[in-house]
Amino acid sequence: MTLPVVVIGLSHKTAPVDVRERFASGSEILPEILARLTRRAELDEAMFLSTCNRVEVIGLPKPQATLEESIQAASHAIRESLREHIGASSVEELRDFLYERSGEEAVRHVFRVSASLDSMVLGEPQILGQVKDAYDAAIAAGALRSHLARCVSRSFTVAKRIRTETQLGAGTVSISSVAVDLAKRIFGELADHTVLLVGAGEMAEQAAKSLGQQARALRICNRSFERAANLASHFNASAAPLEQLEQELVQSDVVVASTSAKTFVVTKDLVKRVMKQRKGKTLFFIDIAVPRNIDPSVHGLDNVYVYNVDDLEHEVAENMKNRQAEVAAAEKIVEAELGSWEQWARGLNVNPTIVALRAKTR
């Protein structure tokens, strides 16, 4: 019996950012999460995916008496693991935010996620890299070995086909570029304004590319000064360590935050001090990190505005209109690959029988 893939998780479609950030996990604790999943007797293989817009577990059940019992047992194990992950008292706390897929629907979901058909920004390329990283981590931990590993690996082929055979990923639309568009809508052209990037990772680099030469000045503030300086050198920007954040905020008009910090980097007290030094001059924050970098209460201060990743969804929708025409072509590729996958999976059931019959006739 070939057991079905099971996917349970939450995304920007099912849970707001304040819920998603409770589940978000960095690479440093991924081995611990995978170890917890592999200890579950109900799971044969598992992978854990965490991005700014989704957290999900992809699992392969261990055989039970019936197929339905196998799926139910795996579902319970995954939900319990997610409950433990955030320290919830019961799985009921999670019920309103989680989605579940199994069998063909789960494989379709995995293919669509890797191909960026389920992303806030259709066609964005970052998700494929994130899925590959999750795959590599699960392989290294011994959590992926055979059937599920092959399923996830097949999703990379799907994503590549869609990237090369459609225009879904055409242009430079990303969360970071949409954030910059929003800043321009608020301030007009940025030629008279200073932009500060808090963080120096991939999202910050995208924001820097989106800004180009538009801002009067581009500044980068990061916990690792060396990393900030390296990124700044590619964009004619200035760099500063995170210890100088207050001074950097005083000089800036637009702030894009995207660090991996687990607690608020920008607090209300900090911004209060900054606004006194700015003499009330408008300060605009765009928080594209999950967990959030900026205390939401900052938005309540006079002349201070805070947008988080969920607030960008409307802006994303406006930017996605040109890509919608490509969705149908991309979905056809998903269905074709899904058909091939199902045919292969069914063959796993048939082949042992054929081998056994041939052995008896010899």
Side-chain angles (χ1 to χ4, degrees), residues 27-39 85:
S27 58
E28 71 282 357
I29 65 169
L30 198 49
E32 176 187 337
I33 296 170
L34 289 168
R36 186 185 305 135
L37 288 166
T38 54
R39 285 196 296 266
H85 177 53

Side-chain angles (χ1 to χ4, degrees), residues 108-177:
R108 179 183 285 110
H109 175 83
V110 173
F111 287 1
R112 294 183 79 254
V113 166
S114 290
S116 189
L117 283 165
D118 199 53
S119 297
M120 181 183 289
V121 179
L122 281 172
E124 55 91 3
Q126 289 75 35
I127 183 64
L128 179 58
Q130 292 165 330
V131 175
K132 285 182 176 180
D133 288 344
Y135 171 86
D136 289 342
I139 291 286
L144 283 184
R145 294 178 303 279
S146 56
H147 185 83
L148 186 58
R150 182 161 182 161
C151 173
V152 178
S153 178
R154 185 65 170 266
S155 78
F156 305 155
T157 301
V158 177
K160 184 176 180 180
R161 279 195 62 190
I162 288 173
R163 177 70 52 179
T164 56
E165 296 177 29
T166 76
Q167 295 297 308
L168 188 69
T172 56
V173 179
S174 66
I175 289 291
S176 296
S177 66

